[in-house]
């Protein structure tokens, strides 16, 4: 249902009402904006010396670019690992042996039901007793892998389950084995159908790299303290860093939305195409049996 | 094991704090999320843009950073305080505010997708009998939309419960100085290097006790009250 059926095409009176409501809304927003602006102005947040560093290369070379690099390094490695983990355990949950199904199910449900931050803390503190040199990087990356991999496992399983029954039956009828059907018929189609949902989950992963800040991993958000220490401009730095995050996340999110449209039109899959939007009914959330939270702190 | 038994009251306190954060933020984000969703489908363009803008920016910002803005932006710069007397109460409500704003954007999107599942005929019929936009939403569309999104809404609330751990960023504590669950686990791990897996298991099971029943209840509720189409 498009939302426009919720109300009639506005007549003369409705147009006036809408205009007045718009103006009142605008005035209210302008007032809030002005209060924030003037308060920040009082404490000198708009002072040029607080903002000037951002147009110079020094702050970018020493803090922001290395920060972005740290974020992207964790994101790149964790997303590859999470995809591998997701395929492995997604297939594991559909295995013929009940024991494999149960074990994979237990692993996936466990990592989905606990907070990612808890997992990262554990992965960090457990390294030293095990005889490793404690690495924050690997605590962050492995945490991201386990959580998002578990969600991806459910996405992939939902993708396979949403394919028409005939696909599997036809494969079996021409003499393919169970794994053969899965490998050469079901998984490729499920992967294509679920690609938007998979990318949407990678947005969640990218956003969750910011949890690394709490473990003092040298990523983008962590630059906030460093920049503030050097230039004493916490609020401007936080605004700039927020904008960088929004740009990165919405680029990846935009890719997911575009892919959803592209795959809808091009097909190459018998199943319904997953949603690029996290938590859309019919998308990952509703398609995953048993509820659960397919999205992280990020949601 | 002794360590766990000795720290048991503190562990319970920390989970109580986690639960309090989750409950207040859940109520807040349901209300704010509904308001945002109404904004996004309203006939007033400014409200539509505003709703869209809020959802777009907040959803693409990491929660850790939203927490930061609540403390350093709202509290330190704008001087918004919830409690002048007790610092811990003030920080608690700032964390609730951050979680509420962050989660409400997800509630809004879920609800909006629920509105989209309501058949056009319902809204058209409502308009035909002369209901206004607000009456249409209140009596016809929203009741059906809410019932259609019970399960995804449950996912949002579970995610919210897990997200309360991020409140450790701005140091949310109880009156006795006990952290919420993740902070409490961290401080226990720091001093008990020999039983780290056990400590982790205790807190993991604690969270599973919160999140798994929520999933079961919302799945049951969705089956009981969900709209059959």
């Amino acid at each position: 249902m498009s939302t426009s059926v919720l109300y009639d095409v506005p007549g003369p009176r409705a147009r006036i009402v809408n205009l007045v409501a718009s103006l009142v809304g605008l005035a209210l927003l302008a007032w809030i904006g002005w209060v924030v602006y003037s308060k920040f102005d009082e404490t000198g947040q708009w002072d040029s010396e607080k903002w000037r560093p951002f147009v110079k290369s020094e702050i970018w070379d020493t803090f922001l670019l290395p920060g972005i690099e740290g974020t992207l390094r964790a994101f790149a490695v964790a997303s590859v690992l999470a995809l591998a983990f997701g395929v492995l355990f997604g297939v594991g949950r559909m295995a013929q042996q009940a024991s494999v199904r149960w074990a994979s199910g237990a692993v996936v449900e466990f990592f989905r039901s606990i907070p990612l931050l808890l997992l990262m803390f554990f992965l960090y503190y457990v390294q030293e007793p095990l005889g490793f040199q404690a690495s924050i990087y690997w605590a962050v990356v492995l945490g991201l892998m386990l959580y998002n991999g578990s969600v991806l496992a459910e996405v992939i399983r939902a993708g396979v389950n949403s394919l028409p029954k005939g696909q599997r039956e036809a494969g079996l009828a021409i003499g393919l084995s169970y794994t053969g059907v899965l490998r050469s018929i079901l998984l490729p189609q499920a992967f294509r159908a679920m690609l938007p949902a998979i990318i949407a989950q990678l947005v969640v992963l990218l956003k969750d790299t910011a949890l690394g800040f709490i473990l003092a991993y040298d990523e983008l958000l962590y630059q906030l303290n460093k920049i503030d220490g050097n230039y004493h401009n916490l609020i401007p730095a936080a605004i700039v860093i927020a904008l960088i995050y929004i740009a990165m996340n919405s680029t990846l999110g935009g890719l997911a939305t575009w892919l959803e449209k592209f795959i809808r039109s091009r097909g190459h899959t018998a199943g319904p195409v997953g949603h690029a939007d996290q938590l859309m009914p019919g998308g990952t959330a509703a398609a995953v049996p048993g509820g659960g939270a397919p999205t992280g702190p990020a949601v | 094991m002794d360590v766990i038994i000795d720290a048991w009251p503190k562990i319970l306190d920390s989970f109580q704090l986690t639960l309090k954060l989750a409950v207040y933020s859940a109520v807040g984000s349901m209300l704010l999320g509904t308001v945002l969703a109404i904004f996004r489908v309203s006939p007033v363009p400014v409200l539509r843009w505003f709703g869209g803008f809020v959802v777009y920016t907040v959803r693409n910002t990491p929660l850790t950073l939203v927490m930061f803005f609540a403390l350093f932006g709202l509290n330190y710069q704008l001087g918004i305080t919830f409690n002048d007397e007790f610092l811990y109460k003030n920080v608690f409500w700032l964390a609730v505010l951050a979680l509420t704003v962050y989660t409400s954007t997800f509630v809004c999107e879920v609800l909006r997708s629920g509105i989209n599942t309501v058949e056009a005929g319902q809204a058209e019929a409502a308009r035909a009998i002369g209901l206004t936009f607000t009456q249409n939403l209140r009596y016809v569309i929203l009741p059906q939309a809410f019932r259609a999104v019970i399960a995804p809404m449950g996912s949002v609330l579970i995610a919210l419960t897990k997200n309360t751990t991020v409140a450790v960023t701005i140091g949310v504590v109880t009156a006795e100085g006990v952290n919420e669950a993740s902070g409490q686990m961290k401080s226990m791990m720091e001093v008990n290097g020999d039983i780290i897996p056990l400590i982790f298991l205790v807190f993991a099971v604690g969270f599973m006790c919160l999140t798994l029943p929520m999933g079961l209840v919302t799945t049951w509720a969705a089956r009981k009250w969900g709209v059959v189409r």
Side-chain angles (χ1 to χ4, degrees):
Chain A
M1 187 187 78
S2 81
T3 48
S4 59
V5 298
L6 286 175
Y7 42 86
D8 288 292
V9 176
R13 198 167 141 246
R15 266 206 293 275
I16 292 172
V17 171
N18 285 353
L19 187 68
V20 170
S22 285
L23 288 178
V24 170
L26 267 184
L28 210 64
L29 289 180
W31 178 73
I32 293 173
W34 184 78
V35 167
V36 172
Y37 173 83
S38 56
K39 280 273 187 181
F40 276 14
D41 197 38
E42 263 171 47
T43 55
Q45 295 306 326
W46 305 122
D47 289 357
S48 62
E49 79 256 27
K50 287 195 191 272
W51 287 89
R52 199 173 299 127
F54 292 106
V55 294
K56 298 210 170 130
S57 64
E58 188 192 76
I59 200 169
W60 289 89
D61 286 344
T62 22
F63 301 113
L64 290 172
L65 291 180
I68 293 173
E69 193 200 318
T71 292
L72 290 182
R73 217 175 49 205
F75 166 72
V77 176
S79 54
V80 171
L81 289 176
L83 274 172
F85 185 94
V87 171
L88 195 68
F89 282 84
V91 170
R93 280 198 96 166
M94 295 179 289
Q96 272 178 309
Q97 298 84 356
S99 56
V100 178
R101 273 206 308 273
W102 270 89
S104 319
V107 168
V108 166
E109 290 302 331
F110 176 75
F111 287 121
R112 262 166 26 113
S113 60
I114 59 169
L116 178 50
L117 187 60
L118 220 61
L119 200 56
M120 284 183 180
F121 278 148
F122 168 67
L123 289 169
Y124 177 67
Y125 285 107
V126 83
Q127 286 178 56
E128 231 163 280
L130 288 178
F132 294 101
Q133 175 107 44
S135 152
I136 301 176
Y137 174 73
W138 284 107
V140 171
V141 167
L142 292 180
L144 289 169
M145 173 194 88
L146 291 173
Y147 173 67
N148 292 287
S150 299
V151 178
L152 287 177
E154 288 299 84
V155 170
I156 288 167
R157 189 168 72 113
V160 169
N161 284 341
S162 65
L163 290 173
K165 254 194 334 204
Q167 296 287 326
R168 178 193 309 258
E169 288 164 0
L172 292 173
I174 58 169
L176 286 176
S177 67
Y178 183 84
T179 34
V181 170
L182 201 58
R183 198 182 56 226
S184 43
I185 296 181
L186 298 180
L187 276 183
Q189 295 191 71
F191 209 75
R192 236 173 256 136
M194 284 296 155
L195 200 53
I198 290 170
I199 306 271
Q201 187 58 36
L202 293 187
V203 177
V204 173
L205 194 155
L206 179 57
K207 216 162 42 158
D208 281 353
T209 56
L211 288 176
F213 166 82
I214 300 169
L215 281 86
Y217 170 57
D218 203 9
E219 45 77 71
L220 181 55
L221 190 53
Y222 193 67
Q223 309 306 312
L224 200 54
N225 289 335
K226 293 200 207 165
I227 292 175
D228 183 46
N230 275 279
Y231 302 92
H232 309 291
N233 55 354
L234 187 68
I235 295 294
I239 292 173
V240 169
I241 287 176
L243 288 178
I244 297 176
Y245 269 114
I246 291 171
M248 288 198 299
N249 292 328
S250 57
T251 309
L252 198 56
L255 176 67
T257 315
W258 177 80
L259 267 177
E260 186 184 338
K261 277 197 202 106
F262 180 76
I263 294 172
R264 278 246 159 88
S265 65
R266 283 295 179 87
H268 296 306
T269 178
V273 178
H275 283 286
D277 229 335
Q278 308 139 31
L279 286 169
M280 284 298 218
T284 52
V288 177
T295 174
V299 150
Chain B
M1 209 62 215
D2 290 347
V3 178
I4 302 292
I5 294 167
D6 287 345
W8 193 247
K10 273 192 170 180
I11 295 175
L12 284 185
D13 278 358
S14 71
F15 271 104
Q16 204 185 349
L17 185 59
T18 294
L19 203 59
K20 259 167 69 182
L21 279 170
V23 169
Y24 286 122
S25 314
V27 174
S29 57
M30 289 293 236
L31 293 174
L32 188 59
T34 308
V35 171
L36 279 177
I38 293 172
F39 276 14
R40 290 204 72 175
V41 299
S42 84
V44 183
V46 170
L47 294 184
R48 278 205 304 272
W49 298 330
F50 177 69
F53 173 76
V54 169
V55 169
Y56 178 81
T57 40
V58 176
R59 253 168 72 120
N60 282 316
T61 310
L63 177 58
T64 325
L65 194 51
V66 178
M67 287 272 175
F68 240 87
F69 273 118
L71 183 65
F72 292 104
L74 288 183
N75 190 230
Y76 288 11
Q77 296 297 328
L78 299 182
I80 295 171
T81 37
F82 291 97
N83 197 310
D84 291 320
E85 230 175 310
F86 298 104
L87 185 66
Y88 78 93
K89 281 188 186 168
N90 187 33
V91 176
F92 172 83
W93 287 111
L94 284 171
V96 168
L97 182 69
L99 283 166
T100 298
V101 170
Y102 185 77
T103 313
S104 67
T105 60
F106 291 89
V107 170
C108 165
E109 288 306 274
V110 165
L111 196 57
R112 207 165 61 100
S113 73
I115 291 174
N116 284 333
T117 66
V118 180
E119 273 161 50
Q122 298 280 329
E124 284 165 355
R127 272 167 51 201
I129 58 168
L131 295 190
T132 63
F133 171 71
T134 38
Q135 287 171 329
N136 192 345
L137 270 185
R138 204 178 132 199
Y139 297 110
V140 181
I141 306 296
L142 280 184
Q144 296 187 63
F146 271 118
R147 287 172 53 184
V149 294
I150 294 173
M153 207 62 99
S155 301
V156 172
L157 293 182
I158 289 173
L160 165 66
T161 311
K162 298 195 293 179
N163 279 341
T164 56
T165 53
V166 182
V168 76
T169 322
I170 58 174
V172 174
V173 290
T174 65
E176 291 81 33
V178 177
N179 260 302
E180 46 61 65
S182 72
Q184 176 64 22
M185 185 187 86
K186 180 172 180 272
S187 50
M188 283 179 71
M189 281 182 174
E190 271 163 359
V191 289
N192 301 295
D194 45 337
I195 51 162
I196 281 169
L198 179 67
I199 298 173
F200 174 63
L201 213 62
V202 169
F203 282 90
V205 169
F207 267 100
M208 287 165 85
C209 290
L210 295 179
T211 55
L212 292 182
M214 283 168 81
L216 291 177
V217 166
T218 45
T219 313
W220 170 82
R223 209 167 293 144
K224 186 160 162 57
W225 289 302
V227 183
V228 181
R229 292 195 191 283

